Amino acid sequence: MKERSLRDLFHLIKQVLPDEQEIIFVSPETTAGDALKMMQERGFNQLPVVEADCHEVFGAFSYRSLALGLARLSPKVKEPLSLPVEEFLERLEFAQISDELVALLDEFDIKDAVLVGSRERLLGIVTTIDVLRYFYRVASPYVLLREIELAVRELIRESIDDEGLRECVNMTLKKHYEELKKEVPTRVEDMTAEDYVTLLRFRGTWERFTDSFGKNQDIVIGKLARVPGLRNDVFHFRRELTMAEYEELRECRDWLLTRIRRVEAKRRGASGG
Protein backbone atom coordinates (compact mmCIF):
# COMPACT_ATOMS: atom_id res chain seq x y z
CA MET A 1 0.00 0.00 0.00
CA LYS A 2 1.34 3.43 -0.97
CA GLU A 3 2.45 5.43 2.07
CA ARG A 4 0.33 8.51 2.59
CA SER A 5 1.94 11.82 3.50
CA LEU A 6 0.57 13.52 6.60
CA ARG A 7 0.11 16.64 4.47
CA ASP A 8 -2.40 14.69 2.37
CA LEU A 9 -4.82 15.06 5.27
CA PHE A 10 -5.26 18.70 4.27
CA HIS A 11 -6.73 20.34 1.16
CA LEU A 12 -3.71 21.14 -0.99
CA ILE A 13 -3.23 22.17 -4.61
CA LYS A 14 -1.76 18.71 -5.38
CA GLN A 15 -5.13 17.11 -4.61
CA VAL A 16 -6.89 19.21 -7.25
CA LEU A 17 -4.24 19.09 -9.97
CA PRO A 18 -4.57 15.89 -12.06
CA ASP A 19 -1.39 13.80 -12.09
CA GLU A 20 -1.38 13.57 -15.88
CA GLN A 21 -2.87 16.94 -16.79
CA GLU A 22 -2.12 17.87 -20.41
CA ILE A 23 -0.82 21.43 -20.42
CA ILE A 24 -2.21 23.32 -23.41
CA PHE A 25 -0.56 26.69 -23.96
CA VAL A 26 -0.03 29.30 -26.66
CA SER A 27 3.03 31.32 -27.56
CA PRO A 28 3.12 35.10 -27.10
CA GLU A 29 2.89 35.52 -30.90
CA THR A 30 -0.33 33.52 -31.25
CA THR A 31 -3.13 35.77 -32.44
CA ALA A 32 -6.01 36.46 -30.10
CA GLY A 33 -8.38 35.03 -32.69
CA ASP A 34 -6.51 31.71 -32.88
CA ALA A 35 -6.31 31.50 -29.09
CA LEU A 36 -10.06 32.14 -28.81
CA LYS A 37 -10.76 29.38 -31.32
CA MET A 38 -8.61 26.95 -29.31
CA MET A 39 -10.39 27.90 -26.07
CA GLN A 40 -13.81 27.39 -27.65
CA GLU A 41 -12.84 24.01 -29.14
CA ARG A 42 -11.46 22.70 -25.84
CA GLY A 43 -13.88 24.40 -23.46
CA PHE A 44 -11.18 26.42 -21.69
CA ASN A 45 -11.61 29.85 -20.09
CA GLN A 46 -7.91 30.66 -20.18
CA LEU A 47 -4.65 29.50 -21.72
CA PRO A 48 -1.13 29.90 -20.30
CA VAL A 49 1.13 31.97 -22.53
CA VAL A 50 4.53 30.26 -22.73
CA GLU A 51 7.69 30.81 -24.77
CA ALA A 52 8.22 27.30 -26.12
CA ASP A 53 11.99 27.58 -26.61
CA CYS A 54 12.83 28.46 -23.01
CA HIS A 55 9.56 27.35 -21.33
CA GLU A 56 9.17 30.74 -19.65
CA VAL A 57 5.61 31.56 -18.57
CA PHE A 58 4.49 35.12 -19.30
CA GLY A 59 0.95 34.90 -17.95
CA ALA A 60 -2.39 33.79 -19.34
CA PHE A 61 -4.82 34.75 -22.07
CA SER A 62 -8.47 34.61 -21.00
CA TYR A 63 -11.88 35.92 -21.94
CA ARG A 64 -11.52 38.50 -19.17
CA SER A 65 -8.03 39.58 -20.18
CA LEU A 66 -9.25 39.96 -23.76
CA ALA A 67 -12.21 42.09 -22.66
CA LEU A 68 -9.99 44.30 -20.48
CA GLY A 69 -7.44 44.59 -23.24
CA LEU A 70 -10.03 45.55 -25.84
CA ALA A 71 -11.30 48.30 -23.54
CA ARG A 72 -7.81 49.78 -23.43
CA LEU A 73 -7.14 49.61 -27.17
CA SER A 74 -7.15 52.66 -29.34
CA PRO A 75 -10.23 52.99 -31.58
CA LYS A 76 -7.78 53.12 -34.48
CA VAL A 77 -7.07 49.38 -34.14
CA LYS A 78 -9.41 47.84 -36.69
CA GLU A 79 -8.72 44.11 -36.29
CA PRO A 80 -7.95 43.50 -32.62
CA LEU A 81 -8.25 39.72 -32.88
CA SER A 82 -5.28 39.73 -35.24
CA LEU A 83 -3.09 41.11 -32.44
CA PRO A 84 -0.82 38.68 -30.55
CA VAL A 85 -2.02 37.42 -27.18
CA GLU A 86 0.90 39.15 -25.46
CA GLU A 87 -1.15 42.34 -25.90
CA PHE A 88 -3.88 40.82 -23.69
CA LEU A 89 -1.88 39.11 -20.98
CA GLU A 90 -3.22 38.50 -17.51
CA ARG A 91 -0.84 37.87 -14.63
CA LEU A 92 -1.90 34.78 -12.70
CA GLU A 93 -0.55 33.83 -9.30
CA PHE A 94 1.90 30.92 -9.16
CA ALA A 95 1.15 28.22 -6.59
CA GLN A 96 3.13 25.21 -5.42
CA ILE A 97 1.61 21.75 -5.17
CA SER A 98 2.02 21.89 -1.37
CA ASP A 99 0.08 25.18 -1.03
CA GLU A 100 -3.24 25.09 0.81
CA LEU A 101 -6.33 25.74 -1.31
CA VAL A 102 -7.92 27.98 1.30
CA ALA A 103 -4.98 30.41 1.07
CA LEU A 104 -5.68 30.87 -2.66
CA LEU A 105 -9.44 31.39 -2.56
CA ASP A 106 -9.11 35.12 -3.21
CA GLU A 107 -7.07 34.42 -6.35
CA PHE A 108 -9.71 31.99 -7.61
CA ASP A 109 -12.41 34.54 -6.84
CA ILE A 110 -10.66 37.37 -8.68
CA LYS A 111 -8.96 35.62 -11.61
CA ASP A 112 -10.62 32.17 -11.81
CA ALA A 113 -7.31 30.27 -11.97
CA VAL A 114 -3.77 29.87 -10.64
CA LEU A 115 -0.71 28.50 -12.40
CA VAL A 116 1.08 25.64 -10.66
CA GLY A 117 4.86 25.57 -10.70
CA SER A 118 7.16 28.45 -11.59
CA ARG A 119 7.87 30.82 -14.48
CA GLU A 120 10.53 28.42 -15.75
CA ARG A 121 8.61 25.17 -15.10
CA LEU A 122 4.85 25.10 -15.52
CA LEU A 123 3.33 22.00 -13.92
CA GLY A 124 -0.31 22.77 -14.64
CA ILE A 125 -3.21 25.11 -14.14
CA VAL A 126 -6.00 24.90 -11.55
CA THR A 127 -9.27 26.72 -12.20
CA THR A 128 -12.15 27.77 -10.00
CA ILE A 129 -14.30 24.97 -11.41
CA ASP A 130 -11.54 22.44 -10.56
CA VAL A 131 -11.65 23.62 -6.93
CA LEU A 132 -15.45 23.61 -6.89
CA ARG A 133 -15.56 20.04 -8.20
CA TYR A 134 -12.94 18.94 -5.67
CA PHE A 135 -14.81 20.38 -2.69
CA TYR A 136 -18.10 19.01 -4.03
CA ARG A 137 -16.52 15.55 -4.25
CA VAL A 138 -15.29 15.86 -0.67
CA ALA A 139 -18.54 17.27 0.73
CA SER A 140 -21.19 15.41 -1.27
CA PRO A 141 -21.42 12.29 0.98
CA TYR A 142 -22.03 14.53 4.01
CA VAL A 143 -24.63 16.55 2.13
CA LEU A 144 -26.44 13.43 0.94
CA LEU A 145 -26.47 11.87 4.40
CA ARG A 146 -27.74 15.10 5.96
CA GLU A 147 -30.61 15.28 3.46
CA ILE A 148 -31.46 11.61 3.99
CA GLU A 149 -31.53 11.86 7.77
CA LEU A 150 -33.55 15.07 7.87
CA ALA A 151 -36.03 13.69 5.33
CA VAL A 152 -36.56 10.49 7.35
CA ARG A 153 -37.17 12.60 10.47
CA GLU A 154 -39.79 14.70 8.74
CA LEU A 155 -41.59 11.68 7.31
CA ILE A 156 -41.70 10.08 10.77
CA ARG A 157 -43.06 13.31 12.25
CA GLU A 158 -45.67 13.42 9.51
CA SER A 159 -46.72 9.84 10.34
CA ILE A 160 -47.23 10.03 14.12
CA ASP A 161 -47.64 12.59 16.89
CA ASP A 162 -45.54 12.73 20.07
CA GLU A 163 -47.70 10.20 21.89
CA GLY A 164 -47.62 7.82 18.94
CA LEU A 165 -43.85 8.14 18.76
CA ARG A 166 -43.49 7.20 22.41
CA GLU A 167 -45.68 4.13 21.86
CA CYS A 168 -43.59 3.01 18.89
CA VAL A 169 -40.33 3.63 20.75
CA ASN A 170 -41.54 1.56 23.72
CA MET A 171 -42.27 -1.36 21.39
CA THR A 172 -39.09 -1.17 19.31
CA LEU A 173 -36.23 0.66 21.06
CA LYS A 174 -36.91 0.81 24.81
CA LYS A 175 -35.53 -2.63 25.72
CA HIS A 176 -32.34 -2.04 23.75
CA TYR A 177 -31.67 1.33 25.40
CA GLU A 178 -32.42 -0.03 28.88
CA GLU A 179 -29.94 -2.86 28.31
CA LEU A 180 -27.32 -0.26 27.43
CA LYS A 181 -28.36 1.75 30.51
CA LYS A 182 -29.04 4.76 28.31
CA GLU A 183 -31.95 7.15 28.33
CA VAL A 184 -34.71 6.08 25.97
CA PRO A 185 -35.14 8.69 23.20
CA THR A 186 -38.45 10.51 23.13
CA ARG A 187 -37.85 12.79 20.12
CA VAL A 188 -36.78 11.93 16.60
CA GLU A 189 -33.83 14.32 16.99
CA ASP A 190 -32.50 12.14 19.82
CA MET A 191 -32.53 8.98 17.70
CA THR A 192 -29.76 7.56 15.58
CA ALA A 193 -30.03 6.57 11.93
CA GLU A 194 -30.06 2.95 13.09
CA ASP A 195 -32.99 3.76 15.40
CA TYR A 196 -34.98 5.04 12.43
CA VAL A 197 -34.45 1.79 10.55
CA THR A 198 -35.40 -0.26 13.61
CA LEU A 199 -38.53 1.83 14.10
CA LEU A 200 -39.62 1.34 10.49
CA ARG A 201 -38.65 -2.34 10.36
CA PHE A 202 -41.03 -3.39 13.17
CA ARG A 203 -44.09 -5.09 11.68
CA GLY A 204 -46.32 -4.28 14.63
CA THR A 205 -46.23 -0.52 14.04
CA TRP A 206 -45.52 -0.34 10.33
CA GLU A 207 -49.07 0.64 9.34
CA ARG A 208 -48.64 3.97 11.10
CA PHE A 209 -45.95 5.01 8.64
CA THR A 210 -47.42 3.91 5.32
CA ASP A 211 -48.99 7.25 4.39
CA SER A 212 -45.59 8.92 4.45
CA PHE A 213 -43.22 6.13 3.41
CA GLY A 214 -45.43 4.11 1.08
CA LYS A 215 -47.22 0.79 1.44
CA ASN A 216 -44.30 -1.58 0.81
CA GLN A 217 -42.20 -1.99 3.94
CA ASP A 218 -39.59 -4.14 2.19
CA ILE A 219 -38.87 -1.36 -0.31
CA VAL A 220 -38.46 1.19 2.50
CA ILE A 221 -36.09 -1.00 4.49
CA GLY A 222 -34.20 -1.89 1.32
CA LYS A 223 -33.59 1.82 0.72
CA LEU A 224 -32.57 2.65 4.29
CA ALA A 225 -30.94 -0.48 5.74
CA ARG A 226 -27.37 0.35 4.72
CA VAL A 227 -27.56 4.07 5.49
CA PRO A 228 -26.51 3.80 9.19
CA GLY A 229 -23.37 1.82 8.35
CA LEU A 230 -22.38 4.13 5.50
CA ARG A 231 -23.08 7.14 7.70
CA ASN A 232 -20.73 5.82 10.39
CA ASP A 233 -17.98 5.16 7.84
CA VAL A 234 -18.28 8.69 6.44
CA PHE A 235 -18.68 10.68 9.66
CA HIS A 236 -15.93 8.76 11.46
CA PHE A 237 -13.61 9.09 8.43
CA ARG A 238 -13.06 5.33 8.26
CA ARG A 239 -12.85 5.15 4.48
CA GLU A 240 -14.03 6.75 1.28
CA LEU A 241 -17.27 5.49 -0.24
CA THR A 242 -17.15 3.54 -3.47
CA MET A 243 -18.92 4.94 -6.50
CA ALA A 244 -21.61 2.25 -6.11
CA GLU A 245 -22.19 3.26 -2.48
CA TYR A 246 -22.35 6.93 -3.42
CA GLU A 247 -24.95 6.13 -6.08
CA GLU A 248 -26.89 4.09 -3.50
CA LEU A 249 -27.05 7.12 -1.20
CA ARG A 250 -28.01 9.41 -4.07
CA GLU A 251 -30.85 7.10 -5.12
CA CYS A 252 -32.06 6.91 -1.50
CA ARG A 253 -32.00 10.70 -1.27
CA ASP A 254 -33.94 11.05 -4.54
CA TRP A 255 -36.53 8.52 -3.36
CA LEU A 256 -36.98 10.41 -0.08
CA LEU A 257 -37.35 13.68 -1.96
CA THR A 258 -40.22 12.11 -3.92
CA ARG A 259 -41.83 10.93 -0.66
CA ILE A 260 -41.53 14.45 0.80
CA ARG A 261 -43.10 15.94 -2.31
CA ARG A 262 -45.97 13.44 -2.08
CA VAL A 263 -46.59 14.45 1.53
CA GLU A 264 -46.55 18.16 0.64
CA ALA A 265 -48.93 17.55 -2.25
CA LYS A 266 -51.36 15.78 0.11
CA ARG A 267 -51.15 18.74 2.50
CA ARG A 268 -52.02 21.16 -0.28
CA GLY A 269 -54.88 18.95 -1.39
CA ALA A 270 -56.26 18.72 2.13
CA SER A 271 -56.11 22.48 2.58
CA GLY A 272 -57.59 23.15 -0.85
CA GLY A 273 -54.45 25.04 -1.89
Side-chain angles (χ1 to χ4, degrees):
M1 185 169 126
K2 185 178 178 182
E3 185 176 354
R4 189 177 187 184
S5 167
L6 293 179
R7 288 183 65 87
D8 291 343
L9 301 175
F10 302 90
H11 303 299
L12 309 178
I13 283 288
K14 63 185 279 188
Q15 293 167 307
V16 183
L17 183 68
D19 293 334
E20 303 297 331
Q21 184 185 63
E22 181 184 7
I23 303 175
I24 306 298
F25 62 87
V26 292
S27 69
E29 294 83 14
T30 304
T31 67
D34 287 342
L36 279 176
K37 182 179 179 181
M38 186 182 300
M39 288 163 60
Q40 290 167 354
E41 289 174 347
R42 294 180 174 269
F44 294 161
N45 290 328
Q46 60 281 116
L47 289 169
V49 178
V50 181
E51 188 64 68
D53 293 338
C54 61
H55 305 292
E56 183 171 354
V57 182
F58 291 94
F61 174 80
S62 67
Y63 290 119
R64 182 179 50 237
S65 71
L66 175 63
L68 293 173
L70 290 174
R72 293 191 298 265
L73 279 181
S74 167
K76 295 180 180 180
V77 178
K78 301 302 180 184
E79 296 182 6
L81 295 186
S82 66
L83 294 175
V85 293
E86 64 182 345
E87 299 297 333
F88 305 98
L89 280 180
E90 182 172 37
R91 308 295 178 185
L92 295 184
E93 184 77 13
F94 276 91
Q96 303 305 309
I97 60 173
S98 58
D99 287 346
E100 291 189 61
L101 283 173
V102 67
L104 296 162
L105 291 183
D106 286 343
E107 285 299 317
F108 288 113
D109 183 38
I110 296 169
K111 296 186 177 179
D112 295 327
V114 298
L115 300 174
V116 182
S118 66
R119 295 192 180 280
E120 295 75 32
R121 184 167 181 259
L122 182 64
L123 300 177
I125 183 169
V126 173
T127 67
T128 302
I129 194 64
D130 293 328
V131 176
L132 180 62
R133 285 173 176 158
Y134 169 74
F135 280 122
Y136 176 77
R137 187 171 68 250
V138 171
S140 56
Y142 302 92
V143 174
L144 284 172
L145 286 163
R146 176 185 181 275
E147 292 179 333
I148 288 170
E149 189 159 340
L150 292 180
V152 170
R153 285 184 189 177
E154 290 307 311
L155 290 173
I156 290 174
R157 284 196 186 98
E158 188 69 22
S159 302
I160 50 179
D161 57 18
D162 292 343
E163 183 178 351
L165 180 63
R166 284 192 294 271
E167 292 174 358
C168 291
V169 167
N170 287 338
M171 285 187 277
T172 58
L173 300 172
K174 183 177 180 180
K175 182 179 178 181
H176 173 68
Y177 272 86
E178 287 178 343
E179 288 173 351
L180 296 175
K181 298 185 179 350
K182 290 184 177 181
E183 186 176 350
V184 180
T186 57
R187 305 182 308 160
V188 287
E189 294 88 346
D190 300 327
M191 297 179 188
T192 67
E194 189 170 356
D195 288 341
Y196 300 147
V197 175
T198 301
L199 197 67
L200 296 170
R201 194 193 297 272
F202 188 62
R203 297 286 182 183
T205 56
W206 167 245
E207 288 299 322
R208 304 191 188 197
F209 300 100
T210 55
D211 284 346
S212 296
F213 285 91
K215 299 294 184 183
N216 194 312
Q217 186 182 29
D218 292 334
I219 289 178
V220 175
I221 299 305
K223 298 284 187 184
L224 298 176
R226 278 174 36 86
V227 169
L230 295 177
R231 182 191 187 281
N232 287 338
D233 286 344
V234 169
F235 279 89
H236 293 286
F237 314 108
R238 291 172 180 161
R239 63 182 180 88
E240 292 187 4
L241 299 184
T242 66
M243 185 58 67
E245 289 168 336
Y246 175 81
E247 286 301 313
E248 184 178 350
L249 287 180
R250 187 185 61 78
E251 289 174 6
C252 179
R253 177 261 184 200
D254 291 347
W255 170 75
L256 284 166
L257 177 59
T258 299
R259 299 309 314 174
I260 290 288
R261 286 174 173 168
R262 292 282 307 275
V263 167
E264 290 180 340
K266 289 178 182 178
R267 283 181 186 171
R268 289 194 298 270
S271 65

